[in-house]
Amino acid sequence: MDLWFTEKHTDDVNFTIRVKKQLYSKKSYYQEIDVFDTYEFGRVLVLDGFIMLTEKDEFIYHEMVTAVPMAVNPEIKKVLVIGAGDGGTIRELCRYNTIEKIDMVEIDEQVVNVCKEYLPQTACAFDDPRLTLYIEDGLKFVRRKENEYDLIIVDSTDPFGPGEGLFTKEFYGNCSKALTDQGILINQHESTYYDSYVDMVKRTHRRIGSAFPVSMVYQTHIPTYPSGHWLFGFASKNLHPIYDLKADEWKKFGIKTRYYNTELHKGCFALPNYVLDVLEDCD
Amino acid sequence: MDLWFTEKHTDDVNFTIRVKKQLYSKKSYYQEIDVFDTYEFGRVLVLDGFIMLTEKDEFIYHEMVTAVPMAVNPEIKKVLVIGAGDGGTIRELCRYNTIEKIDMVEIDEQVVNVCKEYLPQTACAFDDPRLTLYIEDGLKFVRRKENEYDLIIVDSTDPFGPGEGLFTKEFYGNCSKALTDQGILINQHESTYYDSYVDMVKRTHRRIGSAFPVSMVYQTHIPTYPSGHWLFGFASKNLHPIYDLKADEWKKFGIKTRYYNTELHKGCFALPNYVLDVLEDCD
C-alpha cells in the first residue's frame, strides 16, 4: 500500500510524507484532528491539515520554547502555557524541579485526549502534580490574571482558526499584565520565508512590541514546518535574552537536551538580513 | 495545466513544487540537467533530480560560502572555486574588488552553458576579467597546485555522481597543499537531519579534520534543500572562523547581503546538540 499525506506549504509547494497508518481522524468542535504513523517521522499530529508535530523532531520546538526562557531566568517558578495540547511543552517544563506551578489552558480537550492516547512521547507529563489543566479559551483566561506568572508560553496553532485570538493586541497586553516584573513571554512567531506568511509575522511582531519593552525574535530549524525556518518571539519587561543569559546556572539544572545548548542560545538570536528587514519594517 | 516537479528527500518524503514551464531538459556526459520555471521559486536548476538552486533562495547558499571566509580573511586575493557551474559563487566573489584572481574548475561545461542561457541571475559574472574558467576535473586540477590560493570553495553536487571525488581524503589533502598559510577551505557539507545523510557528513568531517588543524562546521537555512537545514565546512591551517573574524573590515567592503551579517556569522557556528553529536562521533 502506498499512502501519502500532503501538507500544502503554499499553493505551489507541497510537502508529502509516506504514511504507515492513519491512527485517528475526527473533527472536534474546533478543528480536524488527525494522527498518522509515518515511516520517516514516527507519529505525526495534524490539525486542520497542518503538521503540528512529529515524533522525529518535536524536541526542537519544545526545547526551544522552554530552555531559552529558563536560561534567562532560572528562577522561574510559575508558568502559564496556552495551547500545547500535545503535552510536549509541559513535558519539557516538568524536567525543571525548580518550577512549582504550571497552569495550562487548552481550548480543545479533544486534542489532549487524542494525544494522551496516540502520542505518549509528548503527552507524558499530564499527571505531574504541579500541573493544572484548564479547558477554556486562553484569551479569556489570561484577562483575569495579574502579576502572577514568571513565564507565559503561547504554544498556539497558526493565526487563523482556533488560535486566532492568541495573536491579538489585547491578548499580548493581557499577557504583560499577567506577568511578573521578571516575567518572559514566549510565542510561536511563524516564518518569513514564504510571502504568504510575512504579513502575519509583521503584525505579530508589531503587537508584541507595543506591549513589551524587550521584544526579540529567535530562529530554529524545524524541518517539518513550512520552509523549515521557524521563528519564536521572546518578550519581557526587563530581561534581555542574551545580556541576561545565565548559561552556568542553566547548565546546573543538568538537563540533557538534543537541540538546545547555551552557545546556540546566543546564536539563534542572530537573524538573516531578509528576516531582519521584515521585522524592522514593523517599527 | 497542473505540472509538478518532485524531489525525493528520502524514500518516504517528497518535496513537490508547481512548475510553469520546463525550460531545459537534457543529459550531459555527466548528469541530467533540468531547468524549470516555477511559481514559488522562480527558475530552478535540477541536476540528476536534485534541486541545486532556485532563484528565490540561492542568495543564502552563495553568500554563506563567500562572505564567511572573506570576513575571516579580508586579505584574500586568489581564489579557487570547484564546481559552481551556475555562477552564483563567482557572482558573489566578484563583488569584492580586492580579489585579484579567481580560478574556477567545473567538470561539466554543459551546466555552465545552460546556466548562462537560463539562469542569468547567477550566471552573470562569467565575463569578469579576473576569472579563468577551466573545464576539467577539480580533483585532478588541485593536485598540481601548491601554496597558491587564499581560499578554495568546493561548491559541489552531492557525494555521489560527478561530485564524488570532491569528498575524498586525497582531495582534501591536496586542497591543504594548494592553500597558503592563511588559506581557508569552504565546502558544502550536506545535512544531518535525515539518517540517510548522516554517514556522508561523518565521513566528510573526518576526512577534512585529518587534513586541517582547524575544521569547523556552520549551519544555514536553505528551505529548498532536504530538511532546509544545511551545513558548510570551514577548514584552515591557522585561522579560526570566530576568533579571527574581522567584522569591521568586512563591513568596510560595503557589500549589501540579504542573508549574511557578521552577527549571524558568529551565530551560525553554534550548532544544535544532535548535529554536534554526529560531528563529535567522527573524532
Side-chain angles (χ1 to χ4, degrees):
Chain A
M1 187 197 57
D2 212 26
L3 181 65
W4 294 78
F5 163 77
T6 295
E7 176 175 334
K8 291 190 84 61
H9 282 183
T10 74
D11 287 344
D12 304 311
V13 182
N14 288 342
F15 184 66
T16 303
I17 63 182
R18 199 145 78 94
V19 170
K20 279 185 194 172
K21 197 177 175 186
Q22 185 176 31
L23 300 175
Y24 183 88
S25 183
K26 234 175 226 168
K27 274 200 167 179
S28 75
Y29 180 78
Y30 297 99
Q31 54 206 338
E32 210 179 316
I33 305 170
D34 285 279
V35 180
F36 298 107
D37 194 11
T38 73
Y39 289 90
E40 186 68 51
F41 303 104
R43 295 191 175 189
V44 178
L45 174 67
V46 175
L47 299 181
D48 281 341
F50 297 98
I51 293 176
M52 290 295 117
L53 70 85
T54 82
E55 284 186 327
K56 183 180 172 78
D57 64 11
E58 55 84 10
F59 70 96
I60 302 174
Y61 184 110
H62 294 125
E63 288 180 12
M64 288 301 279
V65 297
T66 52
V68 169
M70 288 304 295
V72 175
N73 180 8
E75 307 289 314
I76 285 169
K77 301 273 183 269
K78 244 190 122 175
V79 185
L80 171 63
V81 179
I82 294 175
D86 56 76
T89 298
I90 300 300
R91 177 196 65 203
E92 288 302 309
L93 289 170
C94 286
R95 299 172 76 189
Y96 296 85
N97 294 327
T98 51
I99 290 178
E100 293 170 0
K101 185 166 172 45
I102 305 168
D103 287 341
M104 168 174 162
V105 185
E106 163 65 54
I107 202 167
D108 192 346
E109 188 168 22
Q110 202 166 319
V111 172
V112 176
N113 293 337
V114 168
C115 291
K116 279 184 181 170
E117 186 165 353
Y118 295 102
L119 288 159
Q121 180 178 309
T122 52
C124 56
F126 281 110
D127 292 335
D128 192 286
R130 294 168 291 176
L131 176 70
T132 311
L133 173 60
Y134 299 86
I135 300 297
E136 64 174 282
D137 185 351
L139 180 64
K140 290 179 190 159
F141 184 92
V142 80
R143 271 186 202 139
R144 310 192 291 266
K145 301 293 173 178
E146 207 172 323
N147 190 32
E148 191 162 337
Y149 297 104
D150 305 309
L151 171 62
I152 299 178
I153 300 174
V154 188
D155 180 354
S156 66
T157 51
D158 298 307
F160 37 82
E164 203 167 335
L166 305 178
F167 287 79
T168 58
K169 203 167 163 180
E170 187 222 332
F171 174 69
Y172 296 124
N174 286 332
C175 285
S176 170
K177 187 167 61 69
L179 283 167
T180 57
D181 260 8
Q182 301 294 302
I184 296 169
L185 171 72
I186 300 290
N187 72 302
Q188 82 92 344
H189 212 300
E190 305 283 313
S191 169
T192 60
Y193 180 76
Y194 290 118
D195 291 344
S196 44
Y197 291 73
V198 167
D199 284 344
M200 291 189 284
V201 173
K202 281 188 187 176
R203 204 162 51 229
T204 303
H205 190 57
R206 197 180 302 122
R207 287 171 181 173
I208 296 177
S210 72
F212 289 90
V214 178
S215 166
M216 294 178 71
V217 169
Y218 58 103
Q219 67 183 359
T220 308
H221 297 91
I222 305 180
T224 48
Y225 280 6
S227 88
H229 184 223
W230 214 252
L231 301 175
F232 294 107
F234 176 107
S236 90
K237 293 173 208 168
N238 288 299
L239 293 173
H240 188 280
I242 297 177
Y243 306 146
D244 292 308
L245 169 64
K246 294 164 192 78
D248 290 342
E249 288 185 48
W250 186 82
K251 284 175 194 161
K252 276 188 206 145
F253 284 124
I255 287 173
K256 196 171 155 44
T257 44
R258 290 167 63 202
Y259 188 89
Y260 178 85
N261 58 61
T262 53
E263 283 306 303
L264 184 136
H265 180 121
K266 290 178 262 180
C268 70
F269 284 90
L271 303 175
N273 285 351
Y274 82 96
V275 178
L276 292 175
D277 286 346
V278 167
L279 297 176
E280 277 159 17
D281 198 33
C282 302
D283 300 333
Chain B
M1 187 197 55
D2 211 26
L3 181 65
W4 294 79
F5 163 75
T6 294
E7 175 173 336
K8 290 191 83 65
H9 282 183
T10 75
D11 287 343
D12 304 309
V13 182
N14 288 343
F15 183 66
T16 304
I17 62 183
R18 200 146 77 94
V19 170
K20 280 186 192 171
K21 196 177 174 186
Q22 185 176 29
L23 300 176
Y24 182 89
S25 184
K26 235 176 225 170
K27 275 201 165 177
S28 75
Y29 179 78
Y30 297 100
Q31 54 206 336
E32 210 180 315
I33 306 171
D34 284 278
V35 181
F36 298 107
D37 193 11
T38 72
Y39 289 89
E40 186 67 51
F41 302 105
R43 294 189 175 190
V44 179
L45 173 67
V46 175
L47 297 181
D48 281 342
F50 297 98
I51 293 176
M52 290 294 117
L53 69 84
T54 81
E55 285 186 327
K56 183 181 170 81
D57 64 10
E58 55 84 12
F59 70 94
I60 302 174
Y61 184 109
H62 294 126
E63 288 180 12
M64 289 300 279
V65 297
T66 53
V68 169
M70 289 304 296
V72 174
N73 180 9
E75 307 288 315
I76 285 168
K77 299 273 182 269
K78 246 190 118 174
V79 185
L80 171 62
V81 179
I82 295 174
D86 57 76
T89 298
I90 300 300
R91 179 196 64 204
E92 287 303 308
L93 289 171
C94 286
R95 300 174 75 189
Y96 296 86
N97 294 328
T98 50
I99 290 178
E100 293 169 0
K101 186 165 172 43
I102 305 168
D103 287 341
M104 168 173 163
V105 185
E106 164 63 56
I107 202 167
D108 193 345
E109 189 169 20
Q110 201 166 320
V111 172
V112 177
N113 292 337
V114 168
C115 292
K116 279 183 180 170
E117 186 164 352
Y118 296 101
L119 288 159
Q121 179 178 309
T122 52
C124 57
F126 281 110
D127 293 334
D128 192 287
R130 295 168 290 177
L131 176 70
T132 311
L133 173 60
Y134 298 86
I135 301 297
E136 63 173 281
D137 184 350
L139 180 64
K140 290 178 188 159
F141 183 92
V142 80
R143 272 187 201 138
R144 311 192 291 266
K145 301 293 173 178
E146 206 172 322
N147 191 33
E148 193 164 334
Y149 297 104
D150 306 309
L151 171 62
I152 297 176
I153 300 174
V154 187
D155 180 355
S156 66
T157 51
D158 297 307
F160 37 83
E164 202 167 334
L166 306 178
F167 288 81
T168 60
K169 204 168 163 178
E170 187 221 333
F171 174 70
Y172 297 122
N174 286 332
C175 285
S176 171
K177 188 166 63 65
L179 282 167
T180 58
D181 261 9
Q182 301 294 302
I184 296 169
L185 172 72
I186 300 290
N187 73 303
Q188 81 92 345
H189 213 300
E190 305 283 313
S191 168
T192 60
Y193 180 76
Y194 290 119
D195 291 343
S196 45
Y197 292 72
V198 166
D199 285 343
M200 292 189 284
V201 173
K202 281 187 187 177
R203 205 162 50 229
T204 303
H205 190 59
R206 196 180 302 121
R207 287 171 182 173
I208 296 177
S210 73
F212 289 90
V214 178
S215 167
M216 293 178 72
V217 169
Y218 59 103
Q219 68 182 359
T220 308
H221 295 93
I222 305 180
T224 49
Y225 279 6
S227 87
H229 184 222
W230 214 253
L231 302 175
F232 294 108
F234 176 107
S236 90
K237 294 172 206 167
N238 288 299
L239 294 173
H240 188 280
I242 296 178
Y243 305 147
D244 291 308
L245 169 64
K246 293 163 193 78
D248 291 341
E249 289 185 48
W250 185 82
K251 284 175 194 160
K252 277 188 206 145
F253 283 123
I255 287 173
K256 196 172 154 43
T257 44
R258 291 167 62 203
Y259 189 88
Y260 178 85
N261 58 60
T262 53
E263 282 307 302
L264 183 137
H265 180 121
K266 290 177 265 182
C268 70
F269 285 90
L271 303 174
N273 285 353
Y274 83 96
V275 179
L276 291 175
D277 287 347
V278 167
L279 298 175
E280 277 160 16
D281 198 32
C282 301
D283 300 332

